[in-house]
């Protein structure tokens, strides 16, 4: 039996999103790069609220050293969270495929798939 799933790198293969899909998926959206802002990092408890006034470049340097952020775009003020060697988000549990910081997750994740590479569509891959 052939199980068809989207190719994460080819958005034309993505499927129109329906809420019920999440329960039968391998969390393929959690392998996309996650862009966050300072407010997300504070909610995630990676940055303390008092650090909000600190230069973002300094925060980025610390978080990169700690292995939590892989990139920082100084012009946009956007940080990109680190992914594991298999492209999973750093905060995705490898066994359960569930987010370990779900209640504190960034806006990018909270708003997926309304925003992202193909709004309204999902890189759905069925759970084997």
């Amino acid at each position: 039996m052939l199980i068809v799933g989207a190719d994460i790198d080819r958005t034309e293969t993505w499927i129109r999103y329906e809420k019920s899909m999440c329960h039968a998926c391998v969390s393929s959206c959690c392998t996309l790069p996650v862009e966050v802002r300072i407010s997300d990092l504070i909610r995630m408890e990676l940055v303390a609220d008092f650090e909000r006034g600190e230069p973002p470049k300094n925060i980025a340097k610390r978080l990169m050293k700690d292995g939590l952020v892989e990139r920082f775009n100084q012009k946009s003020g956007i940080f990109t969270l680190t992914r594991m060697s298999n492209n999973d988000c750093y905060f995705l549990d490898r066994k359960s495929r569930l987010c370990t910081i779900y209640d504190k997750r960034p806006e990018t994740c909270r708003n997926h798939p309304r925003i992202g590479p193909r709004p309204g569509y999902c890189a759905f891959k069925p759970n084997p």
Side-chain angles (χ1 to χ4, degrees), residues 19-39:
K19 235 181 187 174
S20 62
M21 295 165 75
C22 293
H23 301 293
C25 184
V26 295
S27 306
S28 55
C29 57
C30 299
T31 65
L32 294 167
V34 178
E35 295 180 339
V36 299
R37 298 190 176 275
I38 289 286
S39 56

Side-chain angles (χ1 to χ4, degrees), residues 61-73:
K61 191 174 182 179
R62 175 177 63 82
L63 294 175
M64 283 185 213
K65 185 180 176 206
D66 292 345
L68 299 168
V69 164
E70 63 185 40
R71 276 191 309 282
F72 173 65
N73 182 318

Side-chain angles (χ1 to χ4, degrees), residues 85-123:
S85 59
N86 64 353
N87 283 339
D88 280 356
C89 173
Y90 182 83
F91 298 99
L92 183 69
D93 183 276
R94 285 188 172 207
K95 287 188 177 161
S96 70
R97 305 295 296 162
L98 297 174
C99 180
T100 61
I101 59 163
Y102 188 79
D103 293 337
K104 301 174 194 172
R105 71 194 184 283
E107 286 300 317
T108 301
C109 303
R110 290 169 187 263
N111 291 308
H112 182 78
R114 292 187 309 266
I115 60 168
R118 188 173 179 199
Y121 287 78
C122 175

